[in-house]
Structures are given as C-alpha cells and as structure tokens.
Amino acid sequence: MIPYQVSTLPWLETQWRQMIERGRALPHAVLLNGKPGIGKLALAFGIARVLLCRRDSAGEPCGSCVSCTLLDSGTHPDLHLLTTEQQLERGEGLVPAYGTRYSTPAATTKGRKARVSEIIGVDTIRALTGKLSSTAGQGLRKVALIYPADAMNINAANALLKLLEEPTPATHLLLITADPFQLPATVRSRCSRLEVAAPETAVALAWLERLTDNVSEDAKTLLQQGWGPLEIADLITELPAGGYRTLYQTALTSAAEGDAAGALTAVLEQLGARRAMRWLQHSMLSAMRQQATLKHDLQGNAQPKANINRRQCVALFRLAGQFRRWPHGAVDETLFLEDISSQLQAPRGKGDYDL
C-alpha cells in the first residue's frame, strides 16, 4: 500500500478539520468506517498525531515536538498498530514500522512457503492489552490503531471487548474497517462511529492526475465501478498499462488452449483475493449488461462475444459475494482463485446464451 498523509487527500479535509477541533476530547473508542481505498488509515494516523502531539494549545499537530518527531520516525512508544501479515507485506512507511511490533509470522513448513496471514488473532489483542495497561511513555496518552478491524477472529474480538468495556486511562482505540458488519454487534455498539467520506468522481480523478500524470481508461472505469482512488493508485502501479482491461477481456472472451486458467489465477493473485472478488462481481454485472446490449443492439454494432454465459455470471457473482462475507482466513485463497479461474474457462452448456 502506498503511504499517504491525510493532508494529501483533499476529500478528507473537512473531517480532518473536525477531528482537529475535537482534539483530545475524542471518545476512547472510534470506529472509522468507509469504502476501501479512500484513506481511512491515513485519517487514523492523522488523529493519532492530534492526540499525541505535545503542543500546549488546540490546533494542528506541531510536527516539531519530541512526540511528533518520534511518531514520524516510526518509534513513538505510545502509538500501537495491530494489523495482518498481509498488510505488513504490502505496506510501506509507518505501517511496518509500527505493525511489526505485534506481528507473529506463520511457521514455515519444510519445502513450502509460509502462508501470509490475513487474521488478527487473540494473542495480538492480549499483547496490546498488556502494553496499554502501562503508563504512557511520553506521559500523555496512548493510541492504538486496529486495521482492518474486521480481520479480527472471534476470539480476538471477544478479547478486545473487555478493553472496550474497561478502557485503561488516557487510551484511545481507533478501529478501521470497510465492512463494519463483519464485527460483532457487541464491539460496534461500544464504539463511536465515524463515517469516512468518499470523494466525488471529479475530485478523485483530479487527485489521480496529479499523482500519476496519466489517468488511464482503467482508472476511470474503476472509479465508475466504485473503487477508491488509493486502491486505483495501487492497481495502476501493480498492473501494466491496460492491465485491468486485459484482465476483463481474459475472463470474458474465448480463452486460448493451454494454461489459460493458470494465467488468470496468477493475475487474480496479483490483485489479492478480496480485491479480485470485488473485481469479479463488477465484471459479472458488466457481462450481464453487455448481454442485454447485444440482445437489443438495433445498430448491429459488432461486439466481442464471451465464452461465459448468463448462468455462469449469476453463479460467479454469488460465489464472489459469498467469499467476501466469509471471515478472513476461512478458506484457502489460492485454491479458491484456481476454482474461480476454472469456472471462468468452463464451456457453455445447452440452453445457455452467448454474451
């Protein structure tokens, strides 16, 4: 994940100012909720700066006190970040600097690569509780970020519940999630909610243009489909130019003989399972719209046919949705993506319609 500061994300300006005005009067537990890729983690780090700065009066963090200097260097003893091994592997900047304090790498099996965990486990929450029970190292307050909060398994969520019910003095918990309903209702009910605003399309496009100097058709398509600008920026750097469109065509057009399913699996793995499933749902909706267009195309325009039928579209849309509702780590993602790829390459059956 490319690191950003809240000041570089213009659509968060209003909420950032509101957080500055509230300052240290923030509730002890806040759930930051919003769609993926809009800067929730950057906003959380910004709030942490407000809470930990040693300035004497209210306002923006000074950026020059001992606390601000420690925070920006990744060594502040009172800032804690609980995240997954997957986020640590993808993250840059302050994410690994703080997240590795609580990381527990999976044991390596002989001859096999250790699986990167997507779960925040109970031992991690217990370790955090122990740290928060001690006095703040800088003598002010302690701030803990949990990202993504929906990656906690049920035991971890139950362990956190005790901390929410009996918070330690001068402690603030910031839970960041794009899917709050993956969290137990008991956790949600004990947090103040902050809905993080998504940018308007024009604002997101302008930001992407400044960042990349070239907003591709892929970026515009992804914005129209509801992807966040930070996600799109990551995808632009991870996939070659036209990569999203190529991925779409690979899934929907007739595949060449050979290892087509394997090639598609590799691209889906590059996206990451959860992003791949969001992409798949959007693609299946696009495919069904294309079907309707082909059936009612009075102009007779030539459009590429796909080797995927309407029944497959519906089945894959539902399967992707089911995967997105499963808890993190509930299924072997590589095998799941291979199964998805095989189904995308499956031949049509009798009675099915071309798209």
Side-chain angles (χ1 to χ4, degrees), residues 120-133:
I120 297 174
V122 64
D123 291 339
T124 307
I125 298 294
R126 288 171 179 164
L128 174 67
T129 302
K131 288 287 187 181
L132 295 180
S133 64

PDB file of all heavy atoms in Angstrom, residues 120-133:
ATOM      1  N   ILE A 120      -6.088 -11.121  12.470  1.00  0.00           N
ATOM      2  CA  ILE A 120      -5.581 -10.566  13.718  1.00  0.00           C
ATOM      3  C   ILE A 120      -6.081 -11.480  14.829  1.00  0.00           C
ATOM      4  O   ILE A 120      -7.287 -11.585  15.056  1.00  0.00           O
ATOM      5  CB  ILE A 120      -6.059  -9.125  13.946  1.00  0.00           C
ATOM      6  CG1 ILE A 120      -5.522  -8.206  12.837  1.00  0.00           C
ATOM      7  CG2 ILE A 120      -5.621  -8.609  15.313  1.00  0.00           C
ATOM      8  CD1 ILE A 120      -6.053  -6.793  12.901  1.00  0.00           C
ATOM      9  N   GLY A 121      -5.173 -12.175  15.484  1.00  0.00           N
ATOM     10  CA  GLY A 121      -5.548 -13.199  16.448  1.00  0.00           C
ATOM     11  C   GLY A 121      -5.632 -12.701  17.875  1.00  0.00           C
ATOM     12  O   GLY A 121      -5.261 -11.565  18.202  1.00  0.00           O
ATOM     13  N   VAL A 122      -6.096 -13.564  18.754  1.00  0.00           N
ATOM     14  CA  VAL A 122      -6.320 -13.203  20.155  1.00  0.00           C
ATOM     15  C   VAL A 122      -5.016 -12.886  20.874  1.00  0.00           C
ATOM     16  O   VAL A 122      -4.979 -12.005  21.754  1.00  0.00           O
ATOM     17  CB  VAL A 122      -7.094 -14.332  20.879  1.00  0.00           C
ATOM     18  CG1 VAL A 122      -6.270 -15.617  20.936  1.00  0.00           C
ATOM     19  CG2 VAL A 122      -7.512 -13.893  22.272  1.00  0.00           C
ATOM     20  N   ASP A 123      -3.923 -13.567  20.531  1.00  0.00           N
ATOM     21  CA  ASP A 123      -2.644 -13.285  21.191  1.00  0.00           C
ATOM     22  C   ASP A 123      -2.193 -11.850  20.936  1.00  0.00           C
ATOM     23  O   ASP A 123      -1.584 -11.210  21.805  1.00  0.00           O
ATOM     24  CB  ASP A 123      -1.569 -14.267  20.719  1.00  0.00           C
ATOM     25  CG  ASP A 123      -1.821 -15.684  21.213  1.00  0.00           C
ATOM     26  OD1 ASP A 123      -2.560 -15.829  22.209  1.00  0.00           O
ATOM     27  OD2 ASP A 123      -1.295 -16.633  20.612  1.00  0.00           O
ATOM     28  N   THR A 124      -2.486 -11.353  19.728  1.00  0.00           N
ATOM     29  CA  THR A 124      -2.121  -9.975  19.394  1.00  0.00           C
ATOM     30  C   THR A 124      -2.895  -8.984  20.253  1.00  0.00           C
ATOM     31  O   THR A 124      -2.337  -8.003  20.753  1.00  0.00           O
ATOM     32  CB  THR A 124      -2.399  -9.710  17.899  1.00  0.00           C
ATOM     33  OG1 THR A 124      -1.754 -10.710  17.121  1.00  0.00           O
ATOM     34  CG2 THR A 124      -1.889  -8.348  17.480  1.00  0.00           C
ATOM     35  N   ILE A 125      -4.187  -9.232  20.445  1.00  0.00           N
ATOM     36  CA  ILE A 125      -5.017  -8.353  21.277  1.00  0.00           C
ATOM     37  C   ILE A 125      -4.543  -8.399  22.729  1.00  0.00           C
ATOM     38  O   ILE A 125      -4.472  -7.371  23.413  1.00  0.00           O
ATOM     39  CB  ILE A 125      -6.501  -8.754  21.184  1.00  0.00           C
ATOM     40  CG1 ILE A 125      -7.008  -8.610  19.733  1.00  0.00           C
ATOM     41  CG2 ILE A 125      -7.345  -7.906  22.129  1.00  0.00           C
ATOM     42  CD1 ILE A 125      -7.039  -7.198  19.223  1.00  0.00           C
ATOM     43  N   ARG A 126      -4.195  -9.579  23.202  1.00  0.00           N
ATOM     44  CA  ARG A 126      -3.707  -9.694  24.577  1.00  0.00           C
ATOM     45  C   ARG A 126      -2.391  -8.950  24.761  1.00  0.00           C
ATOM     46  O   ARG A 126      -2.167  -8.311  25.804  1.00  0.00           O
ATOM     47  CB  ARG A 126      -3.543 -11.172  24.932  1.00  0.00           C
ATOM     48  CG  ARG A 126      -4.879 -11.898  25.126  1.00  0.00           C
ATOM     49  CD  ARG A 126      -4.676 -13.384  25.268  1.00  0.00           C
ATOM     50  NE  ARG A 126      -5.952 -14.089  25.479  1.00  0.00           N
ATOM     51  CZ  ARG A 126      -6.112 -15.393  25.338  1.00  0.00           C
ATOM     52  NH1 ARG A 126      -5.074 -16.150  24.988  1.00  0.00           N
ATOM     53  NH2 ARG A 126      -7.292 -15.944  25.549  1.00  0.00           N
ATOM     54  N   ALA A 127      -1.522  -9.028  23.752  1.00  0.00           N
ATOM     55  CA  ALA A 127      -0.253  -8.295  23.830  1.00  0.00           C
ATOM     56  C   ALA A 127      -0.510  -6.795  23.878  1.00  0.00           C
ATOM     57  O   ALA A 127       0.141  -6.054  24.639  1.00  0.00           O
ATOM     58  CB  ALA A 127       0.629  -8.650  22.640  1.00  0.00           C
ATOM     59  N   LEU A 128      -1.477  -6.324  23.086  1.00  0.00           N
ATOM     60  CA  LEU A 128      -1.824  -4.900  23.106  1.00  0.00           C
ATOM     61  C   LEU A 128      -2.377  -4.495  24.467  1.00  0.00           C
ATOM     62  O   LEU A 128      -2.000  -3.445  25.013  1.00  0.00           O
ATOM     63  CB  LEU A 128      -2.859  -4.605  22.010  1.00  0.00           C
ATOM     64  CG  LEU A 128      -3.416  -3.175  22.010  1.00  0.00           C
ATOM     65  CD1 LEU A 128      -2.327  -2.182  21.638  1.00  0.00           C
ATOM     66  CD2 LEU A 128      -4.606  -3.062  21.059  1.00  0.00           C
ATOM     67  N   THR A 129      -3.259  -5.319  25.022  1.00  0.00           N
ATOM     68  CA  THR A 129      -3.846  -5.011  26.327  1.00  0.00           C
ATOM     69  C   THR A 129      -2.763  -4.853  27.384  1.00  0.00           C
ATOM     70  O   THR A 129      -2.819  -3.941  28.224  1.00  0.00           O
ATOM     71  CB  THR A 129      -4.831  -6.122  26.737  1.00  0.00           C
ATOM     72  OG1 THR A 129      -5.850  -6.240  25.740  1.00  0.00           O
ATOM     73  CG2 THR A 129      -5.479  -5.800  28.072  1.00  0.00           C
ATOM     74  N   GLY A 130      -1.759  -5.726  27.326  1.00  0.00           N
ATOM     75  CA  GLY A 130      -0.660  -5.631  28.278  1.00  0.00           C
ATOM     76  C   GLY A 130       0.111  -4.331  28.126  1.00  0.00           C
ATOM     77  O   GLY A 130       0.479  -3.692  29.119  1.00  0.00           O
ATOM     78  N   LYS A 131       0.342  -3.914  26.882  1.00  0.00           N
ATOM     79  CA  LYS A 131       1.068  -2.661  26.634  1.00  0.00           C
ATOM     80  C   LYS A 131       0.272  -1.456  27.105  1.00  0.00           C
ATOM     81  O   LYS A 131       0.820  -0.507  27.684  1.00  0.00           O
ATOM     82  CB  LYS A 131       1.373  -2.525  25.143  1.00  0.00           C
ATOM     83  CG  LYS A 131       2.445  -3.460  24.627  1.00  0.00           C
ATOM     84  CD  LYS A 131       3.826  -3.030  25.095  1.00  0.00           C
ATOM     85  CE  LYS A 131       4.907  -3.861  24.440  1.00  0.00           C
ATOM     86  NZ  LYS A 131       6.262  -3.464  24.920  1.00  0.00           N
ATOM     87  N   LEU A 132      -1.040  -1.472  26.855  1.00  0.00           N
ATOM     88  CA  LEU A 132      -1.868  -0.312  27.204  1.00  0.00           C
ATOM     89  C   LEU A 132      -2.092  -0.182  28.707  1.00  0.00           C
ATOM     90  O   LEU A 132      -2.496   0.877  29.184  1.00  0.00           O
ATOM     91  CB  LEU A 132      -3.221  -0.402  26.490  1.00  0.00           C
ATOM     92  CG  LEU A 132      -3.183  -0.317  24.955  1.00  0.00           C
ATOM     93  CD1 LEU A 132      -4.591  -0.409  24.394  1.00  0.00           C
ATOM     94  CD2 LEU A 132      -2.502   0.954  24.487  1.00  0.00           C
ATOM     95  N   SER A 133      -1.843  -1.254  29.454  1.00  0.00           N
ATOM     96  CA  SER A 133      -2.029  -1.195  30.898  1.00  0.00           C
ATOM     97  C   SER A 133      -0.907  -0.438  31.594  1.00  0.00           C
ATOM     98  O   SER A 133      -1.032  -0.048  32.758  1.00  0.00           O
ATOM     99  CB  SER A 133      -2.122  -2.608  31.477  1.00  0.00           C
ATOM    100  OG  SER A 133      -0.900  -3.316  31.278  1.00  0.00           O
TER     101      SER A 133
END
